[in-house]
């Protein structure tokens, strides 16, 4: 009888030990940091923050802010991607709740401005000089000139090249700098009318102006030690864009999206096309319906490619357990990851 009782105690202890080890193994999968492109220092900054117990949203801000300060590839933060007027403007988004800024001038801290919108207003998105004024009133430094010698030289070279390439269409002059006018002399609503469904069927596509070194949005997903998920993006947008243009960077569901119950997503590429499809919202909803990250990412990209076969873009999907995968179209895509089983950031390459 005593032997049976001892055997029962040992069996119970063994079960408890096994459960504890399983739980310990489970917690070791977090935190996780995933970012578009090989922005290694940005991922390391987010990792240091979240590994020290900071929340997912604060880690996202730290990571994207590091990229802004480093001016990653000249496409994030101040000093890059001049618009038609030679000015650098910023777009950013943070999602734990949602806050975003678009076409923001005079303030260099895009992701921190987005966080302030989320934390200190009931709005989702502020744009233009209003976003700048709000950010400065909340304590961010400014106003300041966001251009750099490099961005101004790029703009002057573009002007010498007769403002080519650019994002105009159906205008005159077609192959020179403006001012521009409609090609046929004005708006004629009786001609060339196309419904929304017609536009979505359009296969015609401009010569791509998006590439790995003129449109590298940082889009970051962080899962903290508690399993909470946050996402964020920062970009200075498409080079030589028309002033006032807002891309997918500050649009929740397009450049990034997250749901604690499911996972998160980040996107990069031709935002003018991608924002029409909300690819990151699609990725998260597909994972909610049972798709694995790789399947969800490929599905979201393929939905765009069917309508715009020449578009350039990519998404990275992360489920709530930290599993990740990417998909791309029109270019080779890389994304960066750091998790507890890695000594340092690892870069994953995804082929189109």
């Amino acid at each position: 009888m005593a032997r049976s009782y001892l055997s029962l105690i040992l069996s119970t202890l063994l079960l408890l030990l096994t459960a504890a080890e399983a739980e310990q193994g489970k917690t070791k999968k977090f935190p996780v940091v995933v970012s578009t492109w090989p922005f290694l220092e940005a991922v390391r900054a987010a990792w240091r923050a979240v590994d020290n117990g900071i929340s997912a949203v604060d880690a996202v801000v730290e990571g994207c802010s590091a990229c802004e300060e480093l001016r990653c590839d000249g496409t994030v933060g101040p000093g890059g991607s001049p618009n038609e007027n030679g000015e650098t403007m910023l777009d950013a988004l943070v999602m734990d709740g949602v806050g975003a800024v678009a076409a923001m001038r005079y303030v260099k801290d895009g992701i921190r401005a987005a966080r302030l919108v989320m934390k200190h207003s009931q709005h989702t998105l502020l744009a233009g000089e209003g976003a700048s004024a709000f950010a400065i009133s909340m304590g961010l430094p400014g106003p300041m000139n966001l251009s750099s010698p490099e961005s101004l030289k790029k703009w002057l070279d573009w002007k010498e090249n007769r403002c080519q390439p650019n994002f105009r269409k159906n205008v005159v002059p077609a192959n020179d700098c403006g001012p521009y006018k409609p090609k046929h002399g004005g708006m004629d609503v009786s001609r060339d009318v196309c419904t929304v469904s017609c536009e979505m069927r359009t296969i015609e596509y401009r010569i791509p102006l998006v590439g790995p070194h003129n449109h590298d949005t940082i889009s970051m997903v962080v899962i903290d030690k508690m399993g909470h998920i946050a996402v964020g993006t920062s970009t200075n947008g498409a080079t030589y864009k028309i002033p006032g243009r807002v891309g997918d960077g500050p649009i929740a569901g397009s450049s990034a999206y997250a749901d604690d119950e499911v996972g998160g997503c980040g996107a990069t590429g031709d935002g003018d096309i991608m924002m029409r499809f909300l690819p990151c919202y699609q990725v998260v909803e597909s994972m909610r319906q049972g798709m694995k990250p790789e399947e969800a990412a490929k599905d979201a990209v393929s939905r765009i490619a069917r309508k715009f076969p020449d578009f350039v873009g990519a998404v990275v999907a992360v489920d709530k357990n930290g599993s990740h995968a990417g998909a791309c179209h029109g270019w080779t895509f890389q994304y960066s990851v750091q998790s507890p089983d890695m000594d340092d950031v690892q870069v994953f390459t995804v082929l189109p």
Side-chain angles (χ1 to χ4, degrees), residues 11-32:
S11 298
T12 302
L13 288 174
L14 182 61
L15 287 172
L16 290 172
L17 181 61
T18 302
E21 288 176 345
E23 185 63 27
Q24 185 179 22
K26 181 179 178 181
T27 59
K28 281 183 179 178
K29 66 187 176 184
F30 299 142
V32 177

Side-chain angles (χ1 to χ4, degrees), residues 135-136 153 254 291 312 341:
I136 293 169
K153 183 181 185 305
S254 188
M291 285 190 185
V312 175
D341 60 346

Side-chain angles (χ1 to χ4, degrees), residues 23-211:
E23 185 63 27
Q24 185 179 22
K26 181 179 178 181
T27 59
K28 281 183 179 178
K29 66 187 176 184
F30 299 142
V32 177
V33 178
V34 180
S35 171
T36 53
W37 304 112
F39 296 146
L40 306 187
E41 292 305 319
V43 174
R44 289 176 183 135
W47 175 259
R48 285 192 297 269
V50 75
D51 195 41
N52 285 328
I54 287 178
S55 69
V57 66
D58 286 331
V60 163
V61 171
E62 289 302 313
C64 291
S65 181
C67 211
E68 291 171 348
E69 292 173 11
L70 292 168
R71 302 183 180 185
C72 292
D73 275 358
T75 62
V76 179
S81 298
N83 64 16
E84 281 189 346
N85 293 338
E87 185 177 7
T88 297
M89 306 173 82
L90 306 182
D91 296 340
L93 163 78
V94 66
M95 188 168 183
D96 177 43
V98 184
V101 292
M104 186 174 70
R105 311 168 72 188
Y106 310 134
V107 177
K108 67 180 179 62
D109 302 295
I111 192 71
R112 295 190 189 280
R115 176 73 192 277
L116 289 170
V117 173
M118 183 180 73
K119 188 175 181 180
H120 296 293
S121 85
Q122 296 185 45
H123 299 310
T124 295
L125 171 65
L126 296 180
E129 294 190 21
S132 308
F134 177 84
I136 293 169
S137 74
M138 291 293 105
L140 291 181
M144 63 182 66
N145 185 355
L146 301 186
S147 298
S148 67
E150 293 79 11
S151 69
L152 289 175
K153 183 181 185 305
K154 178 181 277 190
W155 177 66
L156 290 171
D157 290 345
W158 177 73
K159 294 284 282 186
E160 288 182 8
N161 195 43
R162 301 171 67 181
C163 301
Q164 302 299 311
N166 63 49
F167 287 91
R168 305 278 179 167
K169 69 176 185 179
N170 300 324
V171 297
V172 291
N175 297 303
D176 210 335
C177 300
Y180 299 97
K181 295 182 179 180
K183 188 174 181 179
H184 300 294
M187 182 180 295
D188 183 352
V189 296
S190 67
R191 299 174 58 190
D192 200 27
V193 174
C194 187
T195 64
V196 171
S197 61
C198 165
E199 288 289 348
M200 294 298 285
R201 290 197 303 268
T202 299
I203 301 300
E204 176 188 357
Y205 190 66
R206 65 185 180 274
I207 298 172
L209 301 178
V210 174

Side-chain angles (χ1 to χ4, degrees), residues 35-40 42 64 67-68 70-77 80-81 90-91 154 209-220 232-239 245 248-249 255 266-271 274 312-314 331-336:
S35 171
T36 53
W37 304 112
F39 296 146
L40 306 187
C64 291
C67 211
E68 291 171 348
L70 292 168
R71 302 183 180 185
C72 292
D73 275 358
T75 62
V76 179
S81 298
L90 306 182
D91 296 340
K154 178 181 277 190
L209 301 178
V210 174
H213 298 293
N214 70 359
H215 210 64
D216 288 0
T217 301
I218 181 171
S219 188
M220 180 175 282
T233 65
S234 183
T235 180
N236 48 41
T239 307
R245 179 259 190 186
D248 67 330
S255 66
T268 182
D270 188 342
M274 298 177 75
V312 175
W331 59 8
T332 297
F333 172 58
Q334 292 183 304
Y335 68 94
S336 306

Side-chain angles (χ1 to χ4, degrees), residues 219-236:
S219 188
M220 180 175 282
V221 182
V222 174
I223 307 178
D224 64 25
K225 290 184 176 181
M226 301 300 293
H228 299 311
I229 307 170
V231 295
T233 65
S234 183
T235 180
N236 48 41

